[in-house]
Amino acid sequence: MKIVRAFHLFLLLGAGLLTLPSSSIADTVEYQFTLNTAPLVSSAAGPFSLDFQLNDGSGTNDGNNTATLSNFSFGAGGAPVGAASLIGGASGNLSSTVQIKDSSFLNDFTQGFTAGNTLSFTLNLTTNVDTRGAPDEFTFAILDNTGSELPTKTPLNVFSLIDVTAKLHVQTFGSDPNQVPVAGGTPLDTGAPTAKLIPPSTAPEPTSIVLLAAGLLLLVAKFKLFDRLNVRAKNGD
Amino acid sequence: MNIRKLFAGLSAAMLLQNGIPTSGAPGPITYTVTDLGALSANLATDTDSSATAINSAGYVVGYSGVFDNSSGTFLSHHAFAWIPKAQNAPTGAIADLRGLPGFVCVDVGHGNNLVRFDTNAWDINDLNQISGDSWTGDGTCQTLQLHAAIYGGSSPKDLGVPTGTVSSSGSGINSIGDVVGHAENQPGTSLFAFFYDGTFHDLGALPNFPFGEANKVNAAGQVVGQSYTADLSNLHAFLHKGTGPITAADDLGTLGGTNSAAYGINANGVVVGNASLADNSVHGFIYIGGKMSDLGTLTPGVFNFTGASAINNSNDVVGVSQTAAGDNHAVIWKKGGPIADLNTMINPASGWTLTSATGINDSGQIVGQGMLNGHIRAFLLTPPETGLEGLILSAATVCGTVQTTIGTVTLQTPAGASGALVPITSSRPNVADGPPSVTVAAGQTKATFPITTRDVSVATPVTITAFLNGTFKSATLTVHPLLSSVSFTPREICSRTTATAKVTLACPAPVAESVSLSSADSGAAPVPNNVEVSLGKTIGSFSVTGGDVFSDANDIAITATLGADKQSDTLTVHPLLGNLTIVPATVMGKKTAIGTVSLTFNIFNGQNCQAPHGGINVALVSDNSEVARPAVPSITIPGGSSIGTFTINTSVPTAQTCAKGISNVGTCAVDISAEAAGGVQTASVDVTQPGSPAAVNVSQIVSVIPGGFHFDHATNTYTQELLIVNQVNSQTPIAAPIGLVLDHFPPGDTNPDPWVLIGAKDLDTSKALVIGTTKATTPVNRPVVTLSLTNLPTPGVLNPGDSVTILLNFSNPTNAPITYIPVMIAGGKF
């Protein structure tokens, strides 16, 4: 009886070892975004805010996708400003890491920043496709001092848009150089941000290594325990 | 009897014992000496003149003998003021200060001779107020009194005498017009100092020295003078403040002897005067920090007389000192330092012997009296200029050759006898330049010079610099082109609408200026040939009315030209008509629809163009008036308005009346056009035959690929993009009308959704799509968006492989999930 319980425990742990690394590598994409923000530096439409959204399309707030934004760099003279405004499944801040989970219909992260010459950050996005309704949608926009999106070359006025569909398509848009921001000033011409795909690492992730090592230890322990129990059973203990 | 002059009288004889300087080594010539003249201008017969004080501006006062040329007799001493010469004037001028009424009187009973009595000027402040005295009476020479007076206006102000006294004299005056002096209640028997600030205040005298006399007062109200014993045998200097009585604490003491007198005080309370030593010789002193110090003498160790009479705010002291030969020489103690004979600092060939210095101002100018060609004459010594104090320009900006700019150089001290030559340079002589140099006349501190400027094409700063004795001063002059700009309000207009335009000059027009105008497109933006800027004005206005244009955003360069100056700006002219919409876009049979004509949205103003005054006529045309026709052939959009509406009447289309053919869903498309100002806008209305079948679900053929939802912060709404595609392999063209129905989810839910579809747009044409509600098809009472198929290869038909992209806009104040099932319908009524 004791032998069976211990063996089941081993099997459960072993199953976790096998599935977690596989899931964390295959369903995630990572992009390095870079945007020329030099035109924003002296714009009358500032100060500006970064706006990231990951909105649920399923209608059930299923929380099946997460956008993690990190490695923020604002260029010379740039820096985060103030506190973040968080709606739904958004958390974090621009000084460290931002995480947005589509656990509500609207999941919105907003925080002010002082524009430097270049804005860059890393987006890590899980890509679990909703099976009904609309796709989950990640957007990246910049708000002016009225809280309105800077005009871009898309009616949505976003600099990037990713619909989490089976065939992931990352769209980027430049600011509209012919349209004055709602806050006034002159039209801005940033060009479109670059979104450079970061290839997934071929080596297992650190968490995978830890779990794998733990599994091996359990495997060894199991056989030693099994041997000892067998010996005791044979000896009539 | 003027007791005040008694102590001075002790040295009076010595003062008049003049001769050629015999002591003091000749030094560099550092002063220019000016003869202030005398009130009787005949040098052969005229009388003396003596200067008593000088103010900051170089105005000198004193007294001068008046000689009657006709009778050959000396008449009296009169107060005078000497006025420095103005720039370019040949010399300064001496003026007789007329005395109080009765100072010239008829000596009744004594031959009825005309008698003139003395007037004196003792001090002058920077307001050119002069304190002194004058005899005054009823003109009969019987009731004369000596009264303190303030000269300086058109007539002297009589200060009168303190109560109980019979005479007064004003010796000193400060910068706010307070006067000090002395008064007598019985001539020769009593004397007291007074302070006058509108009323007389009796300052009295020092204890044991009952006769008081005040000589000078500074701005702080500190008074100096001296008090005499009753027998006038001894006197002590005092320094007193306020209008109360002088006390023992005010006694300045002596240099070891029995006598002292204080004659001068500066703004810092430093006092100078004379004091006797233990051996009864008299030396000048300076009293500073509570201590009286011996200023020394030209002949140390020799019993003689030296006196200090005035001090400026740099502690430069002037006075008199006897030489070894017993002659009186004017002297100076620079900064209260060693004594120096002023006769060694002037040109020895000048003919002057300077016998006494009585005043010095902060520029270092000294006045006093001396001997010139055997006559006692007042002199003015002017030190040489030491450097530049400043350079200012009459304007910081000028326009080309239009304005004259004047530069003014200021010296730190008045120019010497030969004047001061000040070189002038320019950083851009071809733009603005002065003369090579400017000369500041002898005795003056300022000189002006003209700056010549030339036309420029861009604003050009020029630095003008003046130099003197190792110092330099600079000032910047910016030369602008006269023509500054041409501009428009607003900067974007529509055809037939008007912008106010103006040309602006950088400076007021020197004459009425005619500015030429030209347009890069005189059809789209006609301008007058020229616009006038009136004399003295900077702006000339004109108007530009947009001509008829057919393509959007015509940027027209308008150029203004004035001489060599050109300025341009761009005026954007839009077509007048911006849009035509028809609502509803689909009508059934004999109904009506409303057409709306909008004028162009003007991006710069953020509003639509407005019809010009008088309105704009818009012609309305149908390409099938049997099926759909405007109720009127034209409408007028009133002046100032941006929108006009009209009614479209429709009829049931038939195969005969619908030239374009009835579609497979029983509709006939009719184009309605609006024409105005050369522009045309067209919109279609689909007229459906009654009895046409209800639209059916074509979702199996036409698929909807939704995008995700994005929250728009600017509008607090949500947007969603959808791609609608007739599948490539469907082999089924779908004709308009095609609708996108937003069916409830879960199916069958009839409750109102928390979100509302508030807008839809065709992203291929950027035009709004019509939103309605399904009535004739299933599901009913659902939002339905009628697609615009005008941008397809076959307008009105969504062929296999064709697609349209639309954008939906939702109001969703509670951020609830927006859930719906897209259903495509076509083939009949919605």
Side-chain angles (χ1 to χ4, degrees):
Chain A
M1 184 69 181
K2 290 178 181 177
I3 297 171
V4 173
R5 191 183 300 156
F7 189 66
H8 283 175
L9 175 63
F10 161 71
L11 288 178
L12 287 172
L13 290 169
L17 286 174
L18 294 175
T19 56
L20 280 175
S22 166
S23 173
S24 63
I25 292 174
D27 297 332
T28 299
V29 292
E30 198 162 71
Y31 288 92
Q32 174 71 27
F33 278 83
T34 304
L35 175 65
N36 170 27
T37 53
L40 277 61
V41 171
S42 57
S43 170
F48 300 98
S49 301
L50 286 180
D51 179 56
F52 300 108
Q53 296 179 24
L54 179 63
N55 296 333
D56 179 51
S58 70
T60 61
N61 306 333
D62 55 9
N64 66 334
N65 279 309
T66 301
T68 304
L69 298 123
S70 58
N71 301 324
F72 284 98
S73 171
F74 297 89
V81 173
S85 170
L86 307 171
I87 299 175
S91 63
N93 62 70
L94 296 177
S95 299
S96 56
T97 301
V98 173
Q99 195 167 63
I100 312 174
K101 191 180 185 70
D102 67 328
S103 54
S104 298
F105 179 63
L106 173 62
N107 307 284
D108 185 24
F109 173 90
T110 307
Q111 186 177 354
F113 76 107
T114 301
N117 55 346
T118 303
L119 168 70
S120 65
F121 58 85
T122 302
L123 166 67
N124 183 291
L125 179 66
T126 62
T127 56
N128 298 307
V129 178
D130 287 349
T131 55
R132 64 178 187 178
D136 294 345
E137 185 172 274
F138 169 83
T139 56
F140 155 42
I142 296 178
L143 310 183
D144 64 21
N145 61 31
T146 69
S148 301
E149 287 82 355
L150 290 183
T152 68
K153 293 178 178 176
T154 171
L156 273 63
N157 290 328
V158 296
F159 284 88
S160 181
L161 181 155
I162 304 174
D163 279 333
V164 184
T165 53
K167 186 178 180 181
L168 202 63
H169 182 43
V170 179
Q171 299 180 74
T172 60
F173 308 92
S175 63
D176 188 343
N178 298 314
Q179 197 171 339
V180 175
V182 174
T186 56
L188 302 170
D189 189 2
T190 63
T194 59
K196 182 180 177 184
L197 179 64
I198 302 173
S201 171
T202 53
E205 294 178 358
T207 52
S208 305
I209 294 172
V210 172
L211 290 171
L212 185 57
L216 288 172
L217 287 173
L218 281 170
L219 191 61
V220 172
K222 175 260 169 185
F223 280 118
K224 285 185 176 178
L225 176 64
F226 187 71
D227 288 346
R228 276 203 305 275
L229 291 173
N230 278 343
V231 170
R232 287 178 182 176
K234 285 177 182 177
N235 293 339
D237 292 343
Chain B
M1 174 176 150
N2 192 337
I3 299 176
R4 181 168 59 87
K5 290 182 177 175
L6 279 178
F7 183 67
L10 295 174
S11 63
M14 294 184 283
L15 285 170
L16 295 173
Q17 293 170 8
N18 304 304
I20 300 301
T22 57
S23 64
I29 298 173
T30 52
Y31 289 96
T32 300
V33 58
T34 302
D35 176 12
L36 301 187
L39 292 177
S40 293
N42 185 342
L43 189 58
T45 58
D46 72 359
T47 55
D48 61 290
S49 64
S50 295
T52 54
I54 182 170
N55 70 6
S56 296
Y59 285 73
V60 182
V61 295
Y63 51 88
S64 173
V66 178
F67 188 85
D68 185 347
N69 283 323
S70 60
S71 64
T73 58
F74 170 77
L75 298 178
S76 59
H77 278 110
H78 282 193
F80 75 80
W82 184 85
I83 301 163
K85 71 174 184 176
Q87 187 180 5
N88 301 324
T91 61
I94 189 169
D96 189 343
L97 298 175
R98 307 297 292 178
L100 295 171
F103 87 103
V104 177
C105 55
V106 177
D107 194 4
V108 178
H110 297 84
N112 293 336
N113 295 321
L114 195 64
V115 179
R116 295 172 183 271
F117 284 82
D118 285 357
T119 62
N120 292 292
W122 300 114
D123 198 7
I124 180 169
N125 65 12
D126 287 346
L127 302 175
N128 288 344
Q129 294 173 314
I130 300 163
S131 65
D133 51 47
S134 168
W135 290 93
T136 182
D138 61 2
T140 65
C141 303
Q142 302 301 307
T143 59
L144 285 165
Q145 280 188 334
L146 185 68
H147 283 194
I150 296 177
Y151 299 94
S154 57
S155 61
K157 176 183 178 182
D158 186 352
L159 301 188
V161 295
T163 303
T165 65
V166 296
S167 73
S168 64
S169 176
S171 304
I173 187 166
N174 66 11
S175 58
I176 56 175
D178 297 329
V179 176
V180 296
H182 65 274
E184 295 174 90
N185 49 14
Q186 287 298 324
T189 61
S190 64
L191 183 73
F192 63 85
F194 72 73
F195 186 106
Y196 177 88
D197 57 3
T199 59
F200 284 104
H201 301 276
D202 180 358
L203 300 184
L206 288 169
N208 303 320
F209 296 86
F211 289 3
E213 188 174 39
N215 292 329
K216 287 290 187 290
V217 58
N218 66 11
Q222 292 176 294
V223 182
V224 294
Q226 56 279 334
S227 283
Y228 304 83
T229 55
D231 61 359
L232 304 180
S233 60
N234 292 110
L235 64 164
H236 269 202
F238 66 77
L239 168 61
H240 174 76
K241 183 168 184 181
T243 56
I246 295 169
T247 68
D250 299 329
D251 192 340
L252 297 184
T254 68
L255 290 172
T258 55
N259 295 321
S260 65
Y263 294 118
I265 183 169
N266 67 12
N268 303 313
V270 182
V271 182
V272 296
N274 309 335
S276 60
L277 283 66
D279 64 358
N280 284 329
S281 62
V282 177
H283 282 192
F285 74 78
I286 183 166
Y287 182 87
I288 185 169
K291 181 183 178 185
M292 179 183 284
S293 300
D294 188 347
L295 283 171
T297 173
L298 284 177
T299 55
V302 176
F303 182 91
N304 67 1
F305 172 84
T306 299
S309 50
I311 182 170
N312 68 10
N313 289 321
S314 299
N315 288 353
D316 297 328
V317 183
V318 295
V320 59
S321 183
Q322 286 182 318
T323 66
D327 298 324
N328 297 303
H329 277 193
V331 294
I332 185 168
W333 293 268
K334 283 274 190 181
K335 309 292 184 190
I339 190 170
D341 187 342
L342 286 169
N343 287 285
T344 66
M345 301 178 186
I346 62 173
N347 186 345
S350 65
W352 277 94
T353 298
L354 310 178
T355 57
S356 176
T358 53
I360 182 168
N361 65 13
D362 287 340
S363 297
Q365 292 178 293
I366 300 168
V367 294
Q369 57 265 11
M371 296 299 295
L372 177 63
N373 299 327
H375 295 272
I376 300 172
R377 297 298 282 263
F379 67 79
L380 167 66
L381 299 183
T382 300
E385 64 281 356
T386 54
L388 281 175
E389 176 73 24
L391 167 62
I392 59 172
L393 307 180
S394 59
T397 60
V398 295
C399 290
T401 59
V402 168
Q403 295 165 307
T404 300
T405 306
I406 301 297
T408 301
V409 293
T410 305
L411 308 187
Q412 294 170 351
T413 54
S418 302
L421 187 71
V422 181
I424 306 293
T425 64
S426 166
S427 63
R428 289 189 172 89
N430 59 334
V431 176
D433 200 9
S437 63
V438 60
T439 298
V440 182
Q444 299 300 302
T445 58
K446 292 184 179 180
T448 60
F449 60 92
I451 296 175
T452 304
T453 55
R454 296 168 183 83
D455 286 329
V456 293
S457 57
V458 296
T460 306
V462 181
T463 301
I464 305 294
T465 304
F467 302 86
L468 182 64
N469 292 340
T471 64
F472 69 90
K473 295 290 178 183
S474 296
T476 299
L477 175 69
T478 301
V479 183
H480 292 267
L482 180 57
L483 181 59
S484 175
S485 66
V486 57
S487 58
F488 310 97
T489 305
R491 298 186 64 181
E492 297 191 27
I493 58 174
C494 291
S495 300
R496 311 283 178 99
T497 66
T498 300
T500 298
K502 64 182 179 182
V503 294
T504 303
L505 306 186
C507 303
V511 296
E513 298 281 5
S514 179
V515 180
S516 299
L517 301 169
S518 64
S519 169
D521 185 342
S522 58
V527 296
N529 291 331
N530 52 62
V531 59
E532 182 175 296
V533 182
S534 302
L535 169 65
K537 303 296 184 185
T538 58
I539 292 175
S541 298
F542 62 101
S543 59
V544 184
T545 299
D548 292 346
V549 295
F550 312 107
S551 59
D552 196 22
N554 300 273
D555 294 334
I556 315 296
I558 307 295
T559 301
T561 304
L562 178 60
D565 299 342
K566 283 184 184 293
Q567 295 290 338
S568 294
D569 200 3
T570 299
L571 179 67
T572 301
V573 183
H574 297 277
L576 185 59
L577 284 188
N579 195 24
L580 170 62
T581 59
I582 298 174
V583 178
T586 301
V587 295
M588 184 176 293
K590 186 178 180 181
K591 293 282 180 61
T592 59
I594 300 298
T596 301
V597 181
S598 302
L599 302 189
T600 298
F601 184 73
N602 181 325
I603 294 173
F604 189 80
N605 275 356
Q607 61 184 14
N608 292 75
C609 282
Q610 296 176 338
H613 180 70
I616 186 76
N617 186 265
V618 181
L620 305 170
V621 178
S622 167
D623 70 348
N624 187 343
S625 58
E626 287 192 80
V627 177
R629 60 215 157 266
V632 292
S634 66
I635 60 171
T636 296
I637 299 177
S641 179
S642 300
I643 290 177
T645 60
F646 59 96
T647 299
I648 299 169
N649 297 318
T650 62
S651 303
V652 176
T654 66
Q656 290 72 35
T657 59
C658 187
K660 295 177 183 175
I662 303 292
S663 73
N664 57 356
V665 293
T667 62
C668 178
V670 179
D671 284 345
I672 305 295
S673 298
E675 300 178 13
V680 179
Q681 291 290 327
T682 301
S684 290
V685 57
D686 291 336
V687 185
T688 305
Q689 291 175 315
S692 297
V696 297
N697 189 328
V698 293
S699 298
Q700 294 297 319
I701 300 170
V702 180
S703 47
V704 178
I705 303 172
F709 294 97
H710 171 71
F711 178 71
D712 188 282
H713 286 266
T715 59
N716 286 326
T717 62
Y718 286 86
T719 54
Q720 182 189 27
E721 243 182 64
L722 297 95
L723 178 66
I724 297 170
V725 184
N726 187 343
Q727 297 167 26
V728 175
N729 58 359
S730 71
Q731 300 182 338
T732 306
I734 306 294
I738 301 176
L740 166 66
V741 180
L742 278 59
D743 196 10
H744 284 303
F745 181 85
D749 175 19
T750 56
N751 291 325
D753 289 307
W755 49 267
V756 178
L757 178 67
I758 58 173
K761 180 194 285 187
D762 185 325
L763 292 184
D764 299 321
T765 62
S766 294
K767 291 189 175 179
L769 299 175
V770 174
I771 299 174
T773 304
T774 54
K775 298 295 184 188
T777 187
T778 303
V780 297
N781 296 324
R782 299 290 192 267
V784 58
V785 178
T786 302
L787 302 187
S788 168
L789 306 177
T790 57
N791 209 38
L792 296 175
T794 305
V797 179
L798 189 70
N799 283 310
D802 285 351
S803 63
V804 294
T805 306
I806 67 173
L807 186 75
L808 302 183
N809 191 210
F810 299 92
S811 167
N812 183 14
T814 63
N815 298 323
I818 298 175
T819 55
Y820 66 88
I821 297 173
V823 176
M824 299 305 303
I825 59 173
K829 297 179 290 183
F830 295 165

